[in-house]
Amino acid sequence: MLSKHDNELITRVGPGTPMGELMRRYWLPALLSEELPEPDCPPIRLRLLGEDLVAFRTTSGRPAVLDTWCPHRNANLFWGRNEEEGLRCVYHGWKFSADGACVDMPNEPARSKFAEKIHQPAYPAVDKGGFVWVYMGPPEHTPEVPHFEWLDVPSDQRNVHKRFQDCNWLQNLEGEVDSSHAPFLHGSVGPGGIQPYNANSDRQPVFEVLETDFGAAIAARREAGPEQFYWRITPFMLPCYTIVPRARDTNYIWTAAVPIDDLTMFGMTVIWSPDKSVGRTPVVETDASFRARQTKANDYLIDRQLQKTESFTGIRGVRVQDMAVQEDQRGPLSDRSREHLGASDLGVIATRRLLLKQLKALQKGQEPKQPHSPEVYHLRSLALNAARETAWQDLMREHMRLGAGVQT
Ligand code: FES
Ligand SMILES: [Fe+2]
C-alpha cells in the first residue's frame, strides 16, 4: 500500500506536480510518426502530461509541438493553417515557427515590433523508431532519446502500436511489472481447472528485485524440474518503460505508459525481433482515435460461457484482459492506501519505491542520471531455464545488455 499522500505524489503528472516534473526530465513517445504523414499535413491535437498541445510537421519535414492556445486571444491552433515552416492561427493570422517564434503578425501595423515580444511555448520533438518523441522539461537539462535496441532494427523487424487507456498511467505500468498475474488473468481453464501457462505450472513465483543503472530488474523464479529454475527477468526502465520476457522464440515486447493526463493514458507497444521480420498484426483492434473496440462501456464483450469452459476471464485478447483490470481499480486512479500487498507484489513495490525516490530527490534539486545515460536503455528481457545454483544477478549482468553488462 501507499499513504494517500504518496499515492497523490506518484500518480499526478500535470505541470508543477512532483511526478510531472520527473516525467518532464525524460523524452516521451507522444505520437506515432505516421500521425503526421507528410510535410505540411494537417495539425493534430496532442494532450501530454495534462497539457493541451498541437503537433504538426513543417515544410522541411520536422515534427513540431506547440502549446495549442494562441497567445493573442486564446484561439485553438488546432484549426491553424500549416504552411511554410509554421502554423498560422485562423482567427487573426498570427504565425508561429516550430520553435514558437511569432514570425508573422499580419493584423498589426507593418512597422510594429510586437511580434518579437511574443513567444509561444514549444517543445523539442524528433522522429525515431516510428514514434514522435517529445521533451517537455527545462531546456538546460535536455537529454538524448534513450537508446532502445528496437530503434536500430529495420522497420519490418518492429511493429509499433498505440492504444488509449481509460486510467492513470501507473495502473498500466504496475501491470507490466507484475509477473504473477499472467497465469490467472491471461490463463485458460480446462477440465482439471486452471491450465499451465507458457508450459510452466508453478503459479507461486518467488520474486527478487535489484536496483540497476536503468531502474530495477524484477526477477520471478519458478520451479522447472529437479535441477533447474525457470527465470523471467523484467527490466523496469525509468520512468515508464518495460520489456516483457518473451516465451520461447517469440518476439520481444517493449511497453510505455504515456500519461495524457492524470486519468487517461496511451499505451505504446513495440514488438520487435533482432533478426527477423515481425509482421503487422495489431496488439489490440482500435479505431482511428486508438480506442479499442472492447471497452469499459461494453464490459470488454466478456463471454461468461467462455469463462466457465476455456478462458480464465472470458475476455478475448491478452491486452484487453489487462485493460479490463487496469481501467477500474476502484476507478481510473487507484487508492493505493486500501491495498493489501503480498510477497508476489515485490516488483510493484520496487517500481513505486524507485519512482518516489527519484521524484523526492528531484524535489531537493537532484537531477536523475538516467536521462543522460541513453546507453543504459539498450536492453532485452530474459526468460530462461538455468541450473538451480546459478545466481540470477549473473544471468542478468551477462545477458540483459549486449556489450557492457548491467551495473547494479
Ligand atoms: S487568436 Fe490567434 S491570431 Fe488572434
Ligand atoms: Fe498482463
Side-chain angles (χ1 to χ4, degrees), residues 266-395:
F266 281 118
M268 308 297 193
T269 309
V270 180
I271 297 174
W272 95 93
S273 163
D275 42 37
K276 57 181 192 303
S277 177
V278 295
R280 283 285 168 271
T281 313
V283 178
V284 182
E285 260 182 75
T286 54
D287 64 15
S289 60
F290 304 101
R291 286 173 193 256
R293 196 169 61 85
Q294 295 159 268
T295 63
K296 215 187 277 190
N298 59 24
D299 289 335
Y300 308 93
L301 304 176
I302 188 169
D303 179 337
R304 295 291 186 182
Q305 187 53 33
L306 192 74
Q307 189 174 29
K308 272 196 176 22
T309 53
E310 283 177 49
S311 143
F312 197 75
T313 58
I315 295 170
R316 291 184 173 83
V318 170
R319 236 338 129 182
V320 184
Q321 293 159 359
D322 284 320
M323 286 167 65
V325 291
Q326 292 168 13
E327 290 187 331
D328 198 3
Q329 294 182 260
R330 280 185 202 276
L333 202 163
S334 187
D335 177 356
R336 292 171 178 75
S337 72
R338 302 188 65 178
E339 299 171 329
H340 298 83
L341 302 184
S344 62
D345 295 305
L346 207 60
V348 172
I349 294 167
T351 299
R352 294 176 185 175
R353 188 175 296 152
L354 197 52
L355 286 169
L356 283 167
K357 186 165 107 176
Q358 276 218 340
L359 73 82
K360 287 175 183 172
L362 184 58
Q363 281 182 304
K364 291 192 200 123
Q366 275 166 259
E367 292 291 326
K369 286 202 295 284
Q370 284 78 11
H372 303 282
S373 316
E375 69 288 349
V376 301
Y377 290 83
H378 203 263
L379 294 174
R380 294 177 179 179
S381 54
L382 294 184
L384 74 186
N385 284 343
R388 292 176 94 88
E389 59 275 13
T390 309
W392 74 270
Q393 293 87 341
D394 292 338
L395 295 174

Side-chain angles (χ1 to χ4, degrees), residues 70-75 77 89-94 96 107:
C70 179
H72 177 216
R73 281 177 43 215
N74 297 331
L77 292 174
C89 179
V90 290
Y91 204 175
H92 312 92
W94 291 19
F96 305 94
N107 65 335

Side-chain angles (χ1 to χ4, degrees), residues 39-61:
D40 291 335
C41 61
I44 59 172
R45 293 186 175 96
L46 171 65
R47 192 166 154 78
L48 193 57
L49 303 180
E51 296 187 38
D52 288 312
L53 308 169
V54 60
F56 61 104
R57 195 176 289 283
T58 63
T59 314
S60 54

Side-chain angles (χ1 to χ4, degrees), residues 38-354:
E38 61 198 18
D40 291 335
C41 61
I44 59 172
R45 293 186 175 96
L46 171 65
R47 192 166 154 78
L48 193 57
L49 303 180
E51 296 187 38
D52 288 312
L53 308 169
V54 60
F56 61 104
R57 195 176 289 283
T58 63
T59 314
S60 54
R62 108 181 224 220
V65 171
L66 300 178
D67 183 299
T68 209
W69 309 116
C70 179
H72 177 216
R73 281 177 43 215
N74 297 331
N76 195 333
L77 292 174
F78 169 71
W79 308 114
R81 301 173 59 87
N82 185 7
E83 54 185 36
E84 288 160 53
E85 298 296 339
L87 191 61
R88 191 183 291 281
C89 179
V90 290
Y91 204 175
H92 312 92
W94 291 19
K95 180 177 169 183
F96 305 94
S97 71
D99 302 322
C102 183
V103 292
D104 195 17
M105 202 178 260
N107 65 335
E108 287 290 311
R111 49 182 195 291
S112 164
K113 295 259 191 272
F114 188 29
E116 290 167 23
K117 298 202 179 83
I118 301 294
H119 194 87
Q120 181 68 344
Y123 296 122
V126 292
D127 285 294
K128 249 182 202 283
F131 290 108
V132 174
W133 299 74
V134 177
Y135 173 72
M136 297 168 68
E140 66 274 23
H141 294 302
T142 308
E144 281 179 59
V145 174
H147 193 184
F148 297 113
E149 183 185 14
W150 54 265
L151 290 172
D152 298 331
V153 304
S155 59
D156 69 315
Q157 287 172 218
R158 66 171 175 250
N159 181 4
V160 174
H161 185 85
K162 169 179 173 180
R163 70 176 184 283
F164 173 82
Q165 274 199 212
D166 213 354
C167 61
N168 178 266
W169 65 281
L170 188 60
Q171 275 153 244
N172 173 241
L173 177 63
E174 289 175 349
E176 303 298 340
V177 298
D178 162 26
S179 161
S180 91
H181 78 268
F184 303 98
L185 186 68
H186 307 312
S188 47
V189 290
I194 187 164
Q195 302 294 299
Y197 185 77
N198 276 346
N200 185 289
S201 57
D202 184 355
R203 288 195 291 274
Q204 281 141 12
V206 176
F207 281 89
E208 291 181 47
V209 176
L210 205 58
E211 217 174 284
T212 59
D213 48 8
F214 54 80
I218 298 157
R221 188 190 80 200
R222 289 176 167 89
E223 292 293 332
E227 277 158 29
Q228 293 193 313
F229 288 128
Y230 174 51
W231 288 100
R232 289 174 70 80
I233 309 179
T234 307
F236 158 53
M237 297 165 280
L238 287 156
C240 58
Y241 307 115
T242 66
I243 304 174
V244 182
R246 57 182 194 167
R248 278 168 205 85
D249 294 331
T250 56
N251 300 313
Y252 291 99
I253 305 173
W254 172 94
T255 73
V258 181
I260 299 172
D261 49 32
D262 292 346
L263 298 181
T264 57
M265 57 158 284
F266 281 118
M268 308 297 193
T269 309
V270 180
I271 297 174
W272 95 93
S273 163
D275 42 37
K276 57 181 192 303
S277 177
V278 295
R280 283 285 168 271
T281 313
V283 178
V284 182
E285 260 182 75
T286 54
D287 64 15
S289 60
F290 304 101
R291 286 173 193 256
R293 196 169 61 85
Q294 295 159 268
T295 63
K296 215 187 277 190
N298 59 24
D299 289 335
Y300 308 93
L301 304 176
I302 188 169
D303 179 337
R304 295 291 186 182
Q305 187 53 33
L306 192 74
Q307 189 174 29
K308 272 196 176 22
T309 53
E310 283 177 49
S311 143
F312 197 75
T313 58
I315 295 170
R316 291 184 173 83
V318 170
R319 236 338 129 182
V320 184
Q321 293 159 359
D322 284 320
M323 286 167 65
V325 291
Q326 292 168 13
E327 290 187 331
D328 198 3
Q329 294 182 260
R330 280 185 202 276
L333 202 163
S334 187
D335 177 356
R336 292 171 178 75
S337 72
R338 302 188 65 178
E339 299 171 329
H340 298 83
L341 302 184
S344 62
D345 295 305
L346 207 60
V348 172
I349 294 167
T351 299
R352 294 176 185 175
R353 188 175 296 152
L354 197 52

